[in-house]
Amino acid sequence: MGDVLPILSVPAVLLAGGAYAVGSTWWRRHHPAPPSPYTRQALRIAEERTLVSAREILEDAYAAFGPLYTAPAAPAGGPDPQVPTSRAPAPRA
């Protein structure tokens, strides 16, 4: 009688594993997983959001700090600071 319980436990474990597999398969078929965040479409959407966010940040920064970087007015009779000179600087000895 001592060997009957271990012998009958093997089929019981196999039956329970099979029932779990059937239930798991049924559940996955009737409750599909949400779309993966690693698809190409998700990547495109994330890129668009990032670009829009970066553009807004740059526009805000330019609006706030743009006046600090405007070119100063050219002195009367002096060279235009926006036009580069064609002369190279003299080499230092």
Side-chain angles (χ1 to χ4, degrees):
M1 182 76 178
D3 295 336
V4 174
L5 186 60
I7 291 174
L8 291 179
S9 67
V10 172
V13 168
L14 291 176
L15 182 65
Y20 176 80
V22 167
S24 176
T25 302
W26 177 86
W27 182 264
R28 277 187 267 131
R29 286 187 179 178
H30 288 84
H31 301 89
S36 173
Y38 303 107
T39 61
R40 291 183 186 190
Q41 181 181 7
L43 179 64
R44 272 194 308 269
I45 292 171
E47 286 175 347
E48 289 174 9
R49 287 181 184 167
T50 303
L51 289 175
V52 167
S53 175
R55 186 175 296 127
E56 289 174 358
I57 291 170
L58 287 175
E59 288 173 356
D60 291 344
Y62 186 75
F65 299 111
L68 297 174
Y69 294 103
T70 56
D80 187 9
Q82 297 294 325
V83 179
T85 58
S86 60
R87 250 179 67 190
R92 294 185 182 178

PDB file of all heavy atoms in Angstrom, residues 46-70:
ATOM      1  N   ALA A  46       7.202  57.385 -31.123  1.00  0.00           N
ATOM      2  CA  ALA A  46       8.106  57.922 -30.101  1.00  0.00           C
ATOM      3  C   ALA A  46       9.066  58.943 -30.703  1.00  0.00           C
ATOM      4  O   ALA A  46       9.352  59.974 -30.076  1.00  0.00           O
ATOM      5  CB  ALA A  46       8.885  56.784 -29.441  1.00  0.00           C
ATOM      6  N   GLU A  47       9.558  58.696 -31.912  1.00  0.00           N
ATOM      7  CA  GLU A  47      10.444  59.660 -32.569  1.00  0.00           C
ATOM      8  C   GLU A  47       9.716  60.970 -32.843  1.00  0.00           C
ATOM      9  O   GLU A  47      10.272  62.054 -32.631  1.00  0.00           O
ATOM     10  CB  GLU A  47      10.975  59.085 -33.885  1.00  0.00           C
ATOM     11  CG  GLU A  47      12.034  58.028 -33.716  1.00  0.00           C
ATOM     12  CD  GLU A  47      12.448  57.407 -35.035  1.00  0.00           C
ATOM     13  OE1 GLU A  47      11.746  57.615 -36.051  1.00  0.00           O
ATOM     14  OE2 GLU A  47      13.460  56.706 -35.043  1.00  0.00           O
ATOM     15  N   GLU A  48       8.481  60.886 -33.319  1.00  0.00           N
ATOM     16  CA  GLU A  48       7.713  62.093 -33.593  1.00  0.00           C
ATOM     17  C   GLU A  48       7.483  62.899 -32.313  1.00  0.00           C
ATOM     18  O   GLU A  48       7.641  64.125 -32.308  1.00  0.00           O
ATOM     19  CB  GLU A  48       6.374  61.731 -34.229  1.00  0.00           C
ATOM     20  CG  GLU A  48       6.495  61.223 -35.650  1.00  0.00           C
ATOM     21  CD  GLU A  48       5.171  60.724 -36.211  1.00  0.00           C
ATOM     22  OE1 GLU A  48       4.121  60.931 -35.551  1.00  0.00           O
ATOM     23  OE2 GLU A  48       5.188  60.138 -37.299  1.00  0.00           O
ATOM     24  N   ARG A  49       7.141  62.208 -31.229  1.00  0.00           N
ATOM     25  CA  ARG A  49       6.922  62.904 -29.960  1.00  0.00           C
ATOM     26  C   ARG A  49       8.211  63.565 -29.491  1.00  0.00           C
ATOM     27  O   ARG A  49       8.192  64.692 -28.977  1.00  0.00           O
ATOM     28  CB  ARG A  49       6.433  61.921 -28.901  1.00  0.00           C
ATOM     29  CG  ARG A  49       5.023  61.471 -29.101  1.00  0.00           C
ATOM     30  CD  ARG A  49       4.597  60.523 -28.020  1.00  0.00           C
ATOM     31  NE  ARG A  49       3.264  60.010 -28.262  1.00  0.00           N
ATOM     32  CZ  ARG A  49       2.747  58.983 -27.623  1.00  0.00           C
ATOM     33  NH1 ARG A  49       3.445  58.362 -26.696  1.00  0.00           N
ATOM     34  NH2 ARG A  49       1.539  58.566 -27.909  1.00  0.00           N
ATOM     35  N   THR A  50       9.338  62.875 -29.658  1.00  0.00           N
ATOM     36  CA  THR A  50      10.620  63.436 -29.234  1.00  0.00           C
ATOM     37  C   THR A  50      10.966  64.663 -30.059  1.00  0.00           C
ATOM     38  O   THR A  50      11.428  65.678 -29.518  1.00  0.00           O
ATOM     39  CB  THR A  50      11.727  62.382 -29.356  1.00  0.00           C
ATOM     40  OG1 THR A  50      11.364  61.232 -28.581  1.00  0.00           O
ATOM     41  CG2 THR A  50      13.056  62.902 -28.882  1.00  0.00           C
ATOM     42  N   LEU A  51      10.745  64.605 -31.371  1.00  0.00           N
ATOM     43  CA  LEU A  51      11.052  65.749 -32.227  1.00  0.00           C
ATOM     44  C   LEU A  51      10.164  66.944 -31.903  1.00  0.00           C
ATOM     45  O   LEU A  51      10.636  68.090 -31.871  1.00  0.00           O
ATOM     46  CB  LEU A  51      10.914  65.363 -33.698  1.00  0.00           C
ATOM     47  CG  LEU A  51      11.989  64.426 -34.235  1.00  0.00           C
ATOM     48  CD1 LEU A  51      11.672  64.021 -35.678  1.00  0.00           C
ATOM     49  CD2 LEU A  51      13.346  65.098 -34.173  1.00  0.00           C
ATOM     50  N   VAL A  52       8.896  66.698 -31.655  1.00  0.00           N
ATOM     51  CA  VAL A  52       7.991  67.793 -31.304  1.00  0.00           C
ATOM     52  C   VAL A  52       8.424  68.418 -29.984  1.00  0.00           C
ATOM     53  O   VAL A  52       8.470  69.646 -29.844  1.00  0.00           O
ATOM     54  CB  VAL A  52       6.531  67.281 -31.233  1.00  0.00           C
ATOM     55  CG1 VAL A  52       5.623  68.295 -30.573  1.00  0.00           C
ATOM     56  CG2 VAL A  52       6.037  66.940 -32.622  1.00  0.00           C
ATOM     57  N   SER A  53       8.773  67.577 -29.025  1.00  0.00           N
ATOM     58  CA  SER A  53       9.223  68.080 -27.728  1.00  0.00           C
ATOM     59  C   SER A  53      10.509  68.892 -27.865  1.00  0.00           C
ATOM     60  O   SER A  53      10.645  69.966 -27.280  1.00  0.00           O
ATOM     61  CB  SER A  53       9.425  66.915 -26.768  1.00  0.00           C
ATOM     62  OG  SER A  53       9.963  67.357 -25.564  1.00  0.00           O
ATOM     63  N   ALA A  54      11.456  68.379 -28.647  1.00  0.00           N
ATOM     64  CA  ALA A  54      12.722  69.100 -28.844  1.00  0.00           C
ATOM     65  C   ALA A  54      12.492  70.419 -29.566  1.00  0.00           C
ATOM     66  O   ALA A  54      13.099  71.435 -29.219  1.00  0.00           O
ATOM     67  CB  ALA A  54      13.692  68.225 -29.633  1.00  0.00           C
ATOM     68  N   ARG A  55      11.612  70.430 -30.554  1.00  0.00           N
ATOM     69  CA  ARG A  55      11.318  71.668 -31.277  1.00  0.00           C
ATOM     70  C   ARG A  55      10.707  72.709 -30.341  1.00  0.00           C
ATOM     71  O   ARG A  55      11.070  73.881 -30.380  1.00  0.00           O
ATOM     72  CB  ARG A  55      10.372  71.374 -32.441  1.00  0.00           C
ATOM     73  CG  ARG A  55      10.122  72.571 -33.322  1.00  0.00           C
ATOM     74  CD  ARG A  55       9.291  72.224 -34.540  1.00  0.00           C
ATOM     75  NE  ARG A  55      10.016  71.299 -35.391  1.00  0.00           N
ATOM     76  CZ  ARG A  55       9.533  70.136 -35.813  1.00  0.00           C
ATOM     77  NH1 ARG A  55       8.328  69.767 -35.484  1.00  0.00           N
ATOM     78  NH2 ARG A  55      10.253  69.355 -36.583  1.00  0.00           N
ATOM     79  N   GLU A  56       9.796  72.286 -29.462  1.00  0.00           N
ATOM     80  CA  GLU A  56       9.198  73.216 -28.507  1.00  0.00           C
ATOM     81  C   GLU A  56      10.248  73.774 -27.554  1.00  0.00           C
ATOM     82  O   GLU A  56      10.248  74.977 -27.251  1.00  0.00           O
ATOM     83  CB  GLU A  56       8.096  72.515 -27.715  1.00  0.00           C
ATOM     84  CG  GLU A  56       6.860  72.208 -28.527  1.00  0.00           C
ATOM     85  CD  GLU A  56       5.844  71.375 -27.755  1.00  0.00           C
ATOM     86  OE1 GLU A  56       6.132  70.996 -26.589  1.00  0.00           O
ATOM     87  OE2 GLU A  56       4.771  71.114 -28.304  1.00  0.00           O
ATOM     88  N   ILE A  57      11.152  72.926 -27.091  1.00  0.00           N
ATOM     89  CA  ILE A  57      12.208  73.381 -26.179  1.00  0.00           C
ATOM     90  C   ILE A  57      13.097  74.403 -26.872  1.00  0.00           C
ATOM     91  O   ILE A  57      13.435  75.447 -26.304  1.00  0.00           O
ATOM     92  CB  ILE A  57      13.024  72.181 -25.664  1.00  0.00           C
ATOM     93  CG1 ILE A  57      12.169  71.332 -24.728  1.00  0.00           C
ATOM     94  CG2 ILE A  57      14.292  72.639 -24.951  1.00  0.00           C
ATOM     95  CD1 ILE A  57      12.789  70.012 -24.360  1.00  0.00           C
ATOM     96  N   LEU A  58      13.490  74.121 -28.110  1.00  0.00           N
ATOM     97  CA  LEU A  58      14.347  75.058 -28.838  1.00  0.00           C
ATOM     98  C   LEU A  58      13.644  76.380 -29.114  1.00  0.00           C
ATOM     99  O   LEU A  58      14.250  77.447 -28.995  1.00  0.00           O
ATOM    100  CB  LEU A  58      14.818  74.428 -30.144  1.00  0.00           C
ATOM    101  CG  LEU A  58      15.867  73.336 -30.008  1.00  0.00           C
ATOM    102  CD1 LEU A  58      16.157  72.711 -31.358  1.00  0.00           C
ATOM    103  CD2 LEU A  58      17.134  73.894 -29.398  1.00  0.00           C
ATOM    104  N   GLU A  59      12.378  76.317 -29.488  1.00  0.00           N
ATOM    105  CA  GLU A  59      11.650  77.553 -29.749  1.00  0.00           C
ATOM    106  C   GLU A  59      11.517  78.390 -28.477  1.00  0.00           C
ATOM    107  O   GLU A  59      11.680  79.615 -28.516  1.00  0.00           O
ATOM    108  CB  GLU A  59      10.274  77.239 -30.334  1.00  0.00           C
ATOM    109  CG  GLU A  59      10.334  76.729 -31.762  1.00  0.00           C
ATOM    110  CD  GLU A  59       8.986  76.259 -32.278  1.00  0.00           C
ATOM    111  OE1 GLU A  59       8.011  76.251 -31.504  1.00  0.00           O
ATOM    112  OE2 GLU A  59       8.923  75.892 -33.463  1.00  0.00           O
ATOM    113  N   ASP A  60      11.246  77.745 -27.352  1.00  0.00           N
ATOM    114  CA  ASP A  60      11.153  78.476 -26.095  1.00  0.00           C
ATOM    115  C   ASP A  60      12.500  79.086 -25.715  1.00  0.00           C
ATOM    116  O   ASP A  60      12.574  80.232 -25.253  1.00  0.00           O
ATOM    117  CB  ASP A  60      10.662  77.565 -24.971  1.00  0.00           C
ATOM    118  CG  ASP A  60       9.215  77.150 -25.149  1.00  0.00           C
ATOM    119  OD1 ASP A  60       8.502  77.792 -25.951  1.00  0.00           O
ATOM    120  OD2 ASP A  60       8.797  76.184 -24.483  1.00  0.00           O
ATOM    121  N   ALA A  61      13.559  78.319 -25.888  1.00  0.00           N
ATOM    122  CA  ALA A  61      14.893  78.822 -25.549  1.00  0.00           C
ATOM    123  C   ALA A  61      15.280  79.982 -26.461  1.00  0.00           C
ATOM    124  O   ALA A  61      15.846  80.980 -25.994  1.00  0.00           O
ATOM    125  CB  ALA A  61      15.924  77.701 -25.657  1.00  0.00           C
ATOM    126  N   TYR A  62      14.978  79.858 -27.740  1.00  0.00           N
ATOM    127  CA  TYR A  62      15.305  80.948 -28.660  1.00  0.00           C
ATOM    128  C   TYR A  62      14.497  82.193 -28.333  1.00  0.00           C
ATOM    129  O   TYR A  62      15.009  83.311 -28.393  1.00  0.00           O
ATOM    130  CB  TYR A  62      15.074  80.530 -30.104  1.00  0.00           C
ATOM    131  CG  TYR A  62      15.528  81.584 -31.086  1.00  0.00           C
ATOM    132  CD1 TYR A  62      16.878  81.785 -31.349  1.00  0.00           C
ATOM    133  CD2 TYR A  62      14.606  82.415 -31.717  1.00  0.00           C
ATOM    134  CE1 TYR A  62      17.294  82.764 -32.224  1.00  0.00           C
ATOM    135  CE2 TYR A  62      15.014  83.397 -32.593  1.00  0.00           C
ATOM    136  CZ  TYR A  62      16.361  83.566 -32.844  1.00  0.00           C
ATOM    137  OH  TYR A  62      16.771  84.542 -33.697  1.00  0.00           O
ATOM    138  N   ALA A  63      13.233  82.004 -27.970  1.00  0.00           N
ATOM    139  CA  ALA A  63      12.415  83.163 -27.610  1.00  0.00           C
ATOM    140  C   ALA A  63      12.946  83.836 -26.347  1.00  0.00           C
ATOM    141  O   ALA A  63      12.917  85.066 -26.228  1.00  0.00           O
ATOM    142  CB  ALA A  63      10.964  82.729 -27.404  1.00  0.00           C
ATOM    143  N   ALA A  64      13.469  83.055 -25.418  1.00  0.00           N
ATOM    144  CA  ALA A  64      13.960  83.618 -24.166  1.00  0.00           C
ATOM    145  C   ALA A  64      15.346  84.241 -24.320  1.00  0.00           C
ATOM    146  O   ALA A  64      15.631  85.301 -23.766  1.00  0.00           O
ATOM    147  CB  ALA A  64      13.984  82.541 -23.090  1.00  0.00           C
ATOM    148  N   PHE A  65      16.233  83.570 -25.054  1.00  0.00           N
ATOM    149  CA  PHE A  65      17.624  83.996 -25.109  1.00  0.00           C
ATOM    150  C   PHE A  65      18.046  84.562 -26.461  1.00  0.00           C
ATOM    151  O   PHE A  65      19.196  84.948 -26.624  1.00  0.00           O
ATOM    152  CB  PHE A  65      18.547  82.832 -24.748  1.00  0.00           C
ATOM    153  CG  PHE A  65      18.316  82.315 -23.367  1.00  0.00           C
ATOM    154  CD1 PHE A  65      17.766  81.062 -23.166  1.00  0.00           C
ATOM    155  CD2 PHE A  65      18.627  83.087 -22.266  1.00  0.00           C
ATOM    156  CE1 PHE A  65      17.551  80.584 -21.893  1.00  0.00           C
ATOM    157  CE2 PHE A  65      18.416  82.614 -20.992  1.00  0.00           C
ATOM    158  CZ  PHE A  65      17.867  81.357 -20.793  1.00  0.00           C
ATOM    159  N   GLY A  66      17.161  84.601 -27.436  1.00  0.00           N
ATOM    160  CA  GLY A  66      17.492  85.110 -28.760  1.00  0.00           C
ATOM    161  C   GLY A  66      18.024  86.535 -28.768  1.00  0.00           C
ATOM    162  O   GLY A  66      19.008  86.829 -29.438  1.00  0.00           O
ATOM    163  N   PRO A  67      17.425  87.424 -28.006  1.00  0.00           N
ATOM    164  CA  PRO A  67      17.936  88.804 -28.012  1.00  0.00           C
ATOM    165  C   PRO A  67      19.374  88.921 -27.499  1.00  0.00           C
ATOM    166  O   PRO A  67      20.073  89.871 -27.843  1.00  0.00           O
ATOM    167  CB  PRO A  67      16.970  89.547 -27.083  1.00  0.00           C
ATOM    168  CG  PRO A  67      15.716  88.747 -27.119  1.00  0.00           C
ATOM    169  CD  PRO A  67      16.146  87.332 -27.310  1.00  0.00           C
ATOM    170  N   LEU A  68      19.820  87.979 -26.708  1.00  0.00           N
ATOM    171  CA  LEU A  68      21.197  88.041 -26.208  1.00  0.00           C
ATOM    172  C   LEU A  68      22.220  87.778 -27.311  1.00  0.00           C
ATOM    173  O   LEU A  68      23.382  88.173 -27.182  1.00  0.00           O
ATOM    174  CB  LEU A  68      21.400  87.015 -25.088  1.00  0.00           C
ATOM    175  CG  LEU A  68      20.567  87.225 -23.832  1.00  0.00           C
ATOM    176  CD1 LEU A  68      20.766  86.065 -22.880  1.00  0.00           C
ATOM    177  CD2 LEU A  68      20.928  88.541 -23.171  1.00  0.00           C
ATOM    178  N   TYR A  69      21.802  87.093 -28.365  1.00  0.00           N
ATOM    179  CA  TYR A  69      22.740  86.705 -29.407  1.00  0.00           C
ATOM    180  C   TYR A  69      22.597  87.502 -30.694  1.00  0.00           C
ATOM    181  O   TYR A  69      23.179  87.145 -31.704  1.00  0.00           O
ATOM    182  CB  TYR A  69      22.581  85.214 -29.727  1.00  0.00           C
ATOM    183  CG  TYR A  69      22.983  84.359 -28.564  1.00  0.00           C
ATOM    184  CD1 TYR A  69      22.028  83.762 -27.759  1.00  0.00           C
ATOM    185  CD2 TYR A  69      24.317  84.149 -28.266  1.00  0.00           C
ATOM    186  CE1 TYR A  69      22.397  82.984 -26.684  1.00  0.00           C
ATOM    187  CE2 TYR A  69      24.698  83.372 -27.189  1.00  0.00           C
ATOM    188  CZ  TYR A  69      23.732  82.800 -26.399  1.00  0.00           C
ATOM    189  OH  TYR A  69      24.101  82.032 -25.338  1.00  0.00           O
ATOM    190  N   THR A  70      21.846  88.565 -30.671  1.00  0.00           N
ATOM    191  CA  THR A  70      21.737  89.376 -31.882  1.00  0.00           C
ATOM    192  C   THR A  70      23.060  90.097 -32.109  1.00  0.00           C
ATOM    193  O   THR A  70      23.766  90.454 -31.167  1.00  0.00           O
ATOM    194  CB  THR A  70      20.595  90.396 -31.773  1.00  0.00           C
ATOM    195  OG1 THR A  70      20.809  91.199 -30.619  1.00  0.00           O
ATOM    196  CG2 THR A  70      19.253  89.700 -31.691  1.00  0.00           C
TER     197      THR A  70
END
